[in-house]
Amino acid sequence: RLSIEMGGQNQEDLDIKFLYITGTPEREVLNIQNIWPFRRAYPGGLEADSYFEPRTINLEPFASYYKIRSTITGHGQNGEFVPQEHFINVNGGSKEFNYEVWKYCGQNPIYPQGGTWIFDRAGWCPGTPSDIHQFDLNQYVEPGESITLDYGLNTSSGSSENYLVSNQLVTYGAYNFNTDASIERVLSPTNQVENERVNAACNEAKIVIKNTGSNTLNSITIRYRDTMKQERISISELPEILNQELGWKSLLSNLTE
């Protein structure tokens, strides 16, 4: 079920599109669960564990990979326009994941707008998707064990500050391919609205590549055709950010002759 709440349904023209892709996925998604219910959080309540308290979760025993997806948007004068550091902790002790919730809005593709759209904000900009922070858990957990997760703020202004928080645990099976990759997005040339600020473009094509296999990708060969139907080949050496445990990380690659 989808719902639009908290005021946005009354002030914006919204639409949604679902894209269904046939074939074998890189990994089977075994489960997606909310670690805590989605809600609005205030610094005092977070500090007192009135909500987003430490919570114990039993991991799927036959899974291979686990990650956390965290989407946070700041509101109120200090929550919206002041960057703050948030954290997710696994099993107490040191905080494994510390991350600043801040988004640069000056390159918003929906422009010009009225109001304060150009000012940077905590996790969102008018007309663009909220940021999703993703954290790999595999080095901290074992399949089938019980873990305790905690979320909170490392820094806070203390007043005129609140956050809409959604934290999810995603559980995967093993990779279906050893060596595989996908083109996730074409940044240019394209007529997609989200890339209007850098298009139309007649220079090098730019794409986002994702490692969808269990092996590290060291290089990739891409064959493509231009408008004159001439086949071109691009061979790129890849840095080691495309590894098997962080397969969701992507690489911006330039295609040249």
Side-chain angles (χ1 to χ4, degrees):
R1 188 180 71 176
L2 298 174
S3 65
I4 302 169
E5 304 167 0
M6 301 184 179
Q9 73 275 18
N10 299 320
Q11 66 186 34
E12 285 129 5
D13 185 17
L14 304 171
D15 60 19
I16 188 169
K17 179 186 292 183
F18 294 94
L19 301 178
Y20 296 93
I21 302 173
T22 61
T24 304
E26 59 177 280
R27 296 178 289 184
E28 298 291 342
V29 178
L30 303 181
N31 194 17
I32 300 177
Q33 63 190 95
N34 288 323
I35 303 172
W36 300 272
F38 166 77
R39 66 159 297 156
R40 190 182 300 274
Y42 296 84
L46 285 171
E47 186 175 358
D49 282 334
S50 300
Y51 31 73
F52 298 106
E53 75 288 349
R55 182 160 293 197
T56 299
I57 293 178
N58 297 320
L59 297 180
E60 298 277 351
F62 302 108
S64 299
Y65 299 94
Y66 310 88
K67 77 175 180 185
I68 291 174
R69 291 165 44 100
S70 179
T71 303
I72 300 169
T73 60
H75 305 274
Q77 180 62 33
N78 292 327
E80 184 169 340
F81 297 106
V82 178
Q84 304 291 357
E85 187 178 78
H86 301 239
F87 73 84
I88 290 178
N89 175 256
V90 183
N91 292 329
S94 301
K95 298 170 183 175
E96 285 78 9
F97 307 112
N98 301 281
Y99 54 109
E100 185 179 72
V101 175
W102 195 240
K103 191 176 180 72
Y104 299 100
C105 298
Q107 292 299 312
N108 193 327
I110 311 301
Y111 79 103
Q113 301 183 37
T116 61
W117 67 274
I118 198 171
F119 297 131
D120 302 335
R121 284 173 165 80
W124 67 282
C125 298
T128 62
S130 301
D131 288 340
I132 300 175
H133 303 267
Q134 306 192 69
F135 307 109
D136 179 73
L137 288 176
N138 273 53
Q139 61 178 308
Y140 307 108
V141 303
E142 294 293 335
E145 73 171 338
S146 295
I147 63 171
T148 300
L149 299 174
D150 192 16
Y151 158 78
L153 284 167
N154 285 328
T155 60
S156 171
S157 299
S159 64
S160 186
E161 176 184 1
N162 68 88
Y163 299 92
L164 294 176
V165 181
S166 174
N167 290 319
Q168 298 173 317
L169 174 65
V170 186
T171 303
Y172 296 96
Y175 278 95
N176 289 316
F177 305 97
N178 293 326
T179 302
D180 193 46
S182 65
I183 297 176
E184 295 294 290
R185 286 183 293 155
V186 177
L187 301 182
S188 66
T190 181
N191 58 4
Q192 293 179 330
V193 172
E194 55 266 38
N195 296 312
E196 281 186 348
R197 297 296 285 267
V198 293
N199 284 281
C202 57
N203 53 355
E204 296 176 348
K206 294 182 179 180
I207 63 174
V208 176
I209 297 169
K210 181 180 179 181
N211 182 5
T212 53
S214 60
N215 295 334
T216 299
L217 291 180
N218 298 311
S219 65
I220 190 167
T221 301
I222 299 174
R223 291 180 170 85
Y224 63 104
R225 293 179 181 273
D226 60 20
T227 56
M228 302 301 293
K229 307 300 183 183
Q230 294 178 321
E231 183 173 276
R232 302 177 184 273
I233 299 177
S234 173
I235 302 177
S236 301
E237 297 297 320
L238 303 180
E240 293 185 3
I241 66 168
L242 296 179
N243 61 72
Q244 58 268 35
E245 291 188 355
L246 295 178
W248 46 266
K249 278 189 175 290
S250 59
L251 169 73
L252 178 64
S253 178
N254 292 331
L255 299 185
T256 59
E257 281 192 50

